[in-house]
């Protein structure tokens, strides 16, 4: 198996990998092909992972017990997950505008969970939780030739709900502020999820983001994301192009403001050959 194949965990690619390549092909190379250890984990990632764990705990309880769990149980799940992040081998690093104070972050997480819990409990009427963290592996097709690609699209749906005859796929997010119009319109993740749900036999699902903001007064922003056939073609075309770029060894650095907080910047520039050692 080549390094490129390893990078895709065999012959797989995820929405997250596609996004990484689109943001900066060099970071894709360092992370997925060369397996470079990150110098740190950005605090927002660790916070988001912990928040996801808490929300998964909420919906697993609804699925198994038929009733929402108390806020305290969800908050404990968040604290436990955050502690695992603190105990992990990779150190956490705050961004400029993020509070580095762990206590403040835990308090903020608890505050955000209270907002989420209050509204989520009210929205459960007549809703069945079908799956939490549902993994998928689906085929990808080149929209220009119609041919199935060797590579599969992999990922996991945060939450699958059923109300009446229709299913809804929910993706959870935490964000510094509410999502803007362009962010909602052009995000490729909902398109990938629509394709995945259809291929999994879930039918034509509604994809919804539940975004909890970290603002001084957190809010739960609920956004339904419409995607059409053109979006689906474009998603598959983008995936195919990314895979061709990876197979062709196209990994240029995309320098931007993001370099400031890049966990792979220490390995971004290969060492220059010393005079007399080239060739
Ligand atoms: S430092 Fe910048 S160019 Fe280099 S991998 Fe990170 S984001 Fe890409």
């Amino acid at each position: 198996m080549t390094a490129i194949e390893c990078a895709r965990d065999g012959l797989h690619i995820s929405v997250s990998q596609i996004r990484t390549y689109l943001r900066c092909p060099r970071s894709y190379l360092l992370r997925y092909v060369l397996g470079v250890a990150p110098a740190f984990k950005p605090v927002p990632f660790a916070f988001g992972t912990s928040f996801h764990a808490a929300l998964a705990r909420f919906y697993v309880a609804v699925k198994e017990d038929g009733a929402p769990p108390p806020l305290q149980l969800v908050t404990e799940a968040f604290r436990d997950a955050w502690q695992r992040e603190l105990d992990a081998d990779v150190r956490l690093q705050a961004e400029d505008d993020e509070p580095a104070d762990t206590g403040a972050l835990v308090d903020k997480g608890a505050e955000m969970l209270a907002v989420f819990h209050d509204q989520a409990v009210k929205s459960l009427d007549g809703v069945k939780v079908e799956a939490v963290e549902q993994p998928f592996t689906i085929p990808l097709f080149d929209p220009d030739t119609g041919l199935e690609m060797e590579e599969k699209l992999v990922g996991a749906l945060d939450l699958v709900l059923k109300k009446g005859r229709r299913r809804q796929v929910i993706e959870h997010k935490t964000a510094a502020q509410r999502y803007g119009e362009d962010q909602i319109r052009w995000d490729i993740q909902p398109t990938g999820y629509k394709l995945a749900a259809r291929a999994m036999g879930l039918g034509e699902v509604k994809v919804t983001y539940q975004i909890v903001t970290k603002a001084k007064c957190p809010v739960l922003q609920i956004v339904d994301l419409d995607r059409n056939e053109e979006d689906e073609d474009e998603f598959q075309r983008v995936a195919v192009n990314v895979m061709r770029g990876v197979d062709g060894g196209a990994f240029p650095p995309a320098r931007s403001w993001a370099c400031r907080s890049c966990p792979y910047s220490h390995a971004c520039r290969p060492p220059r050959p010393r005079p007399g050692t080239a060739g």
Side-chain angles (χ1 to χ4, degrees):
M1 184 185 288
T2 67
I4 302 301
E5 287 165 343
C6 290
R8 295 195 216 117
D9 188 22
L11 290 168
H12 297 151
I13 193 162
S14 67
V15 171
S16 169
Q17 285 174 316
I18 294 170
R19 279 174 159 166
T20 299
Y21 187 91
L22 295 176
R23 271 197 302 267
C24 176
R26 180 63 58 86
S27 70
Y28 183 104
L29 170 72
L30 296 169
R31 179 172 176 181
Y32 296 115
V33 179
L34 301 180
V36 170
F40 59 88
K41 186 169 187 180
V43 162
F45 285 12
F47 186 90
T49 303
S50 306
F51 206 81
H52 256 85
L55 269 48
R57 184 72 189 85
F58 175 88
Y59 285 108
V60 165
V62 174
K63 183 170 186 276
E64 291 178 352
D65 307 335
L71 174 60
Q72 187 190 352
L73 187 141
V74 182
T75 308
E76 277 169 13
F78 172 76
R79 288 180 196 277
D80 291 347
W82 178 252
Q83 192 57 50
R84 286 195 293 278
E85 293 289 344
L86 291 176
D87 294 341
D89 291 340
V90 182
R91 73 180 168 86
L92 302 185
Q93 179 169 302
E95 292 188 339
D96 294 347
D97 55 353
E98 286 286 328
D101 178 352
T102 285
L105 279 165
V106 170
D107 290 347
K108 178 54 73 181
E111 201 184 334
M112 292 163 65
L113 283 169
V115 170
F116 164 81
H117 189 273
D118 182 48
Q119 297 194 42
V121 167
K122 290 177 194 157
S123 68
L124 286 174
D125 212 20
V127 171
K128 182 181 176 210
V129 175
E130 283 203 327
V132 181
E133 300 288 351
Q134 172 79 55
F136 63 81
T137 303
I138 64 159
L140 280 167
F141 295 88
D142 183 336
D144 294 323
T145 63
L147 293 175
E148 183 174 340
M149 304 295 295
E150 205 178 356
E151 297 86 350
K152 308 284 186 204
L153 181 71
V154 297
L157 306 176
D158 278 357
L159 177 65
V160 181
L161 301 178
K162 192 167 185 191
K163 187 167 189 174
R165 300 178 68 177
R166 192 162 186 210
R167 291 188 175 87
Q168 184 178 21
V169 170
I170 306 264
E171 171 72 9
H172 296 125
K173 305 279 185 193
T174 55
Q177 55 196 10
R178 296 170 74 91
Y179 273 32
E181 204 177 311
D182 290 337
Q183 202 173 3
I184 290 165
R185 176 63 189 94
W186 301 119
D187 189 349
I188 61 170
Q189 194 172 23
T191 318
Y193 285 0
K194 278 202 79 166
L195 289 167
R198 191 181 302 133
M200 293 160 77
L202 301 179
E204 293 305 314
V205 297
K206 179 161 86 169
V207 179
T208 301
Y209 278 3
Q210 291 188 344
I211 307 153
V212 188
T213 70
K214 296 182 206 161
K216 195 170 177 190
C217 295
V219 293
L220 174 62
Q221 180 187 13
I222 298 175
V223 183
D224 293 332
L225 300 116
D226 294 324
R227 294 295 184 265
N228 56 31
E229 287 180 3
E230 282 185 341
D231 295 318
E232 293 181 14
D233 281 356
E234 186 169 89
F235 177 91
Q236 305 228 41
R237 198 168 281 118
V238 167
V240 168
N241 279 316
V242 167
M243 290 185 284
R244 285 186 184 141
V246 171
D247 283 339
F251 300 111
R255 303 224 172 267
S256 72
W257 55 267
C259 295
R260 282 177 187 273
S261 55
C262 173
Y264 299 95
S265 62
H266 62 290
C268 180
R269 284 193 162 151
R272 301 183 70 199
R274 279 180 282 141
T277 59

